[in-house]
Every structure is written in structure tokens, then in C-alpha cells.
């Protein structure tokens, strides 16, 4: 009986030992797997260098944090709506290109500048003037004036201003004077006050637009025609003439030259027209002759400024009486 109990006890002990051994082996097989997971969780790096585990934004991975800092984009996987994503911003290491600073636009001169530095008021002076231009003959006249150090006033009409804007600028930039000869070369004596203003102020606006200026120009009324309405309406000096070369009638350079020689005096305003080639040829005779006679050949405003005569609005001027 005792022997049977001992055998049973040994059998039970053996079974328990086997069970314990099996349990131990199972636990021993599971131990490396658990330690590997714990190690990865603590360090944020895989235990096996050959593996490539997926990195998540909330795993403590530093790359995900850097991406958010550099781009401003939300790396939270729960924010999948594109409209709710932050826009990409420039990296702090990038240098944005500055916008170019626009150049300031110079303010236009409010009134024409009359330079009389080279004019001696004690010596004879004449003013040359050319009407109805500019035209294809204007450049030739400018060249003649420049050759002899002379200036003139060019009274321009609206249609030709539109046709030759570059010549308008050339006259202005050469130091010669620009004058207003109305838009349509209208006889101002036949117009109402409002129509006169339209002819004069409209042409002034046209000249300023062409030149990019804001100037107030002297006016030559077409045909020299003025009356009380014109004088009270036109808010500019009205420039007539004292020597009519009749170049428009003769279209002959020699006849124009002879008229200048016959009629010119100290303080004269000479009337010519730069519409005609014959006038451009006449200028080649007139200008050097005037210089040889001792005249200083000037624009209208230069002559009056040198003689200390202030030009007033609504008044007519046809030269200066000088000894």
C-alpha cells in the first residue's frame, strides 16, 4: 500500500515538473519579444537596425516635430481636411526676395522756366516765332537755331501736336519755347466764351499730356484776332507780332529774308510758320543775318523777361519799343 502511494506521488511530482518546465520554456521564449518592444518605446529607435518601423507624429519621433516647425503644416493624422491644413511658409533658412521699390514720379514744373542767363538786356534783342506746327520742317529749323545759339517760340496747333508728338518734345527739350495756338486754329473773335476756353484750355491740356508737364503756355490767337471777349476769357498772355514775313503767302525763302531785313527793329517779334519748307530755308538766311547785325535771337518769353516786362493774362503783346 505504501509502495503504491509512493509511486502515485512520484508520478504526480513528475507531471508537475513537466508542466513547470513547459511553463518556463514558454516564458523564456516570450521574454526577448517583450523586452524589444519596451526598448523601442523608451528610445524611439528600433531594437533591430535592419528593421524600418513606421514613424508616427505622436510616437515622440523628432523628424515629425521638425517638419511641423519648418513648414507650419499640421502633421496630426486626425486633421485630414486639406482646407484645414496650414499653408506652407518659407523656411527660416530661406531669404525672401524683397519687392522692388517704385521710383518716385517727379512732380511737374508748375510754370515754364525762362532762362535769360546768356541775354544782355543792354544789347539789341528780337524774338522769333513760328506758327501752326510742328511739322516735318521743324527739325531743320531747330538745327539752324542750335547752330547759332538762338531760340524761338513755336506756337503749336492741336492737330499737329497729335500728329508729331516727338517733335513737340524735341522743341521743348532743345530749350526753345512752346506756345498755344488753339486746337483748331479757330478765329476766336467769332466764338463764345465757352468755345474760346475749349479751344485754348483744350490745347493746353493736349500739350501738357504730350510733354508730361503741368505748364501754363503763352497763347497766340489765330490770325492775331482778339476782342474784349477773348481778352476777358483767355487767362494767358496774348502774343501778336510786329514783323509779318508773309511766308505763308510767298513761300519764297528770299522774299521772307528781304522782309525781315526791311522791317526788323530792336524788340521786334517776327512771325513765321514752320509748316513750309521754304520757311525752313529762309531761317538759314534770317538767323545768321540777325546775329551778324548784333541781335540776340530769343524766344518771346526770354525777350520780355530780359527787358523786365511781366506778361499778364488777357493782354496783347506785339513787341517792345526799344532804342
Amino acid at each position: 500500500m505504501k509502495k503504491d502511494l509512493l509511486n502515485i506521488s512520484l508520478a504526480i511530482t513528475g507531471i508537475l515538473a513537466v508542466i513547470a518546465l513547459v511553463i518556463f520554456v514558454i516564458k523564456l521564449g516570450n521574454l526577448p519579444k517583450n523586452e524589444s518592444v519596451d526598448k523601442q518605446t523608451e528610445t524611439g529607435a528600433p531594437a533591430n537596425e535592419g528593421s524600418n518601423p513606421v514613424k508616427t507624429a505622436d510616437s515622440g519621433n523628432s523628424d515629425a516635430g521638425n517638419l511641423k516647425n519648418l513648414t507650419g503644416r499640421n502633421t496630426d493624422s486626425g486633421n485630414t481636411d486639406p482646407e484645414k491644413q496650414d499653408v506652407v511658409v518659407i523656411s527660416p533658412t530661406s531669404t525672401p526676395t524683397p519687392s522692388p521699390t517704385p521710383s518716385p514720379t517727379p512732380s511737374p514744373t508748375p510754370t515754364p522756366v525762362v532762362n535769360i542767363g546768356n541775354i544782355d538786356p543792354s544789347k539789341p534783342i528780337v524774338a522769333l516765332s513760328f506758327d501752326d506746327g510742328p511739322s516735318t520742317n521743324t527739325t531743320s529749323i531747330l538745327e539752324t537755331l542750335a547752330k547759332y545759339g538762338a531760340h524761338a517760340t513755336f506756337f503749336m496747333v492741336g492737330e499737329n501736336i497729335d500728329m508729331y508728338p516727338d517733335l513737340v518734345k524735341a522743341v521743348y527739350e532743345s530749350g526753345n519755347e512752346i506756345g498755344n495756338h488753339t486746337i483748331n486754329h479757330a478765329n476766336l473773335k467769332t466764338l463764345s466764351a465757352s468755345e474760346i476756353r475749349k479751344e485754348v484750355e483744350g490745347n493746353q491740356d493736349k500739350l501738357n499730356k504730350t510733354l508730361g508737364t503741368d505748364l501754363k503756355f503763352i497763347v497766340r490767337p489765330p490770325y492775331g484776332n482778339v476782342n474784349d471777349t477773348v481778352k476777358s476769357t483767355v487767362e494767358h498772355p496774348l502774343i501778336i507780332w510786329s514783323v509779318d514775313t508773309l511766308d505763308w503767302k510767298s513761300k519764297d525763302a528770299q522774299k521772307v529774308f528781304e522782309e525781315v531785313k526791311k522791317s526788323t527793329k530792336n524788340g521786334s517779334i517776327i512771325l513765321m510758320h514752320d509748316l513750309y519748307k521754304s520757311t525752313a530755308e529762309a531761317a538759314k538766311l534770317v538767323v545768321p543775318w540777325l546775329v551778324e547785325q548784333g541781335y540776340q535771337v530769343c524766344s518771346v518769353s526770354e525777350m520780355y523777361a530780359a527787358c523786365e516786362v511781366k506778361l499778364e493774362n488777357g493782354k496783347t503783346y506785339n513787341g517792345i519799343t526799344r532804342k
Side-chain angles (χ1 to χ4, degrees), residues 133-151:
S135 77
T136 55
N137 302 300
T138 303
T139 299
S140 175
I141 294 172
L142 288 176
E143 291 172 351
T144 299
L145 293 170
K147 183 177 180 180
Y148 295 97
H151 282 165

Side-chain angles (χ1 to χ4, degrees), residues 106-113 156 158 161-162 165 168-169 172 178-180 183 200-218 236:
S107 300
T109 305
T111 56
V113 176
M156 300 182 178
I161 294 169
D162 292 335
V168 178
K169 295 174 184 177
Y172 179 71
I178 289 179
N180 182 343
I183 289 181
V200 174
E201 300 306 325
N203 204 44
Q204 170 159 296
D205 291 344
K206 188 182 293 288
L207 284 168
N208 277 318
K209 183 177 180 180
T210 301
L211 293 172
T213 57
D214 185 18
L215 302 176
K216 187 174 183 180
F217 303 97
I218 58 176
H236 307 261

Side-chain angles (χ1 to χ4, degrees), residues 253-320:
Q254 191 61 40
K255 288 184 178 180
V256 171
F257 180 36
E258 293 301 326
E259 187 62 40
V260 169
K261 291 196 293 184
K262 179 181 71 174
S263 305
T264 300
K265 299 177 182 179
N266 187 11
S268 293
I269 298 176
I270 302 171
L271 170 64
M272 304 172 81
H273 298 77
D274 56 329
L275 282 180
Y276 311 112
K277 184 177 180 180
S278 56
T279 297
E281 293 302 314
K284 295 176 182 179
L285 303 173
V286 168
V287 175
W289 181 84
L290 289 170
V291 172
E292 289 171 3
Q293 302 309 303
Y295 290 111
Q296 299 169 97
V297 183
C298 307
S299 70
V300 170
S301 292
E302 285 173 339
M303 184 176 74
Y304 279 95
C307 296
E308 298 183 347
V309 177
K310 183 179 179 180
L311 299 175
E312 300 180 28
N313 295 341
K315 290 190 176 182
T316 58
Y317 299 86
N318 59 358
I320 302 174

Side-chain angles (χ1 to χ4, degrees), residues 120-135:
D120 185 347
S122 67
K123 296 180 180 180
I125 306 174
V126 294
L128 271 184
S129 63
F130 295 89
D131 284 11
D132 298 349
S135 77

Side-chain angles (χ1 to χ4, degrees), residues 9-319:
S9 176
L10 289 173
I12 292 171
T13 301
I15 292 170
L16 291 176
V18 171
I19 292 171
L21 180 61
V22 171
I23 292 173
F24 176 79
V25 171
I26 291 173
K27 287 185 176 182
L28 186 63
N30 290 337
L31 180 61
K33 182 178 180 180
N34 293 337
E35 288 179 351
S36 177
V37 172
D38 292 341
K39 185 176 182 181
Q40 181 178 344
T41 302
E42 291 172 359
T43 64
N48 187 342
E49 294 292 334
S51 64
N52 187 21
V54 177
K55 300 176 183 179
T56 61
D58 58 353
S59 67
N61 184 279
S62 60
D63 289 342
N66 288 340
L67 178 64
K68 182 175 181 180
N69 291 336
L70 291 176
T71 68
R73 187 178 298 280
N74 190 347
T75 57
D76 184 356
S77 61
N79 188 2
T80 57
D81 186 347
E83 294 185 0
K84 294 181 181 180
Q85 296 287 339
D86 296 334
V87 296
V88 177
V89 298
I90 300 175
S91 169
T93 59
S94 302
T95 303
T97 302
S99 300
T101 303
S103 300
T105 303
S107 300
T109 305
T111 56
V113 176
V114 181
N115 183 5
I116 58 172
N118 295 326
I119 303 174
D120 185 347
S122 67
K123 296 180 180 180
I125 306 174
V126 294
L128 271 184
S129 63
F130 295 89
D131 284 11
D132 298 349
S135 77
T136 55
N137 302 300
T138 303
T139 299
S140 175
I141 294 172
L142 288 176
E143 291 172 351
T144 299
L145 293 170
K147 183 177 180 180
Y148 295 97
H151 282 165
T153 301
F154 292 78
F155 290 97
M156 300 182 178
V157 71
E159 179 182 6
N160 288 338
I161 294 169
D162 292 335
M163 194 176 301
Y164 302 106
D166 290 342
L167 288 177
V168 178
K169 295 174 184 177
V171 171
Y172 179 71
E173 292 170 358
S174 66
N176 289 280
E177 183 177 28
I178 289 179
N180 182 343
H181 203 37
T182 75
I183 289 181
N184 299 304
H185 202 272
N187 182 352
L188 300 183
K189 286 177 66 174
T190 66
L191 303 181
S192 66
S194 62
E195 290 170 330
I196 292 170
R197 280 190 289 271
K198 185 179 295 184
E199 282 287 332
V200 174
E201 300 306 325
N203 204 44
Q204 170 159 296
D205 291 344
K206 188 182 293 288
L207 284 168
N208 277 318
K209 183 177 180 180
T210 301
L211 293 172
T213 57
D214 185 18
L215 302 176
K216 187 174 183 180
F217 303 97
I218 58 176
V219 171
R220 171 161 284 164
Y223 317 105
N225 286 347
V226 297
N227 56 16
D228 290 341
T229 303
V230 173
K231 292 179 180 179
S232 62
T233 302
V234 177
E235 297 180 353
H236 307 261
L238 299 165
I239 310 301
I240 315 300
W241 56 84
S242 56
V243 178
D244 188 350
T245 63
L246 299 175
D247 60 336
W248 59 272
K249 186 176 182 179
S250 69
K251 295 182 177 65
D252 185 306
Q254 191 61 40
K255 288 184 178 180
V256 171
F257 180 36
E258 293 301 326
E259 187 62 40
V260 169
K261 291 196 293 184
K262 179 181 71 174
S263 305
T264 300
K265 299 177 182 179
N266 187 11
S268 293
I269 298 176
I270 302 171
L271 170 64
M272 304 172 81
H273 298 77
D274 56 329
L275 282 180
Y276 311 112
K277 184 177 180 180
S278 56
T279 297
E281 293 302 314
K284 295 176 182 179
L285 303 173
V286 168
V287 175
W289 181 84
L290 289 170
V291 172
E292 289 171 3
Q293 302 309 303
Y295 290 111
Q296 299 169 97
V297 183
C298 307
S299 70
V300 170
S301 292
E302 285 173 339
M303 184 176 74
Y304 279 95
C307 296
E308 298 183 347
V309 177
K310 183 179 179 180
L311 299 175
E312 300 180 28
N313 295 341
K315 290 190 176 182
T316 58
Y317 299 86
N318 59 358

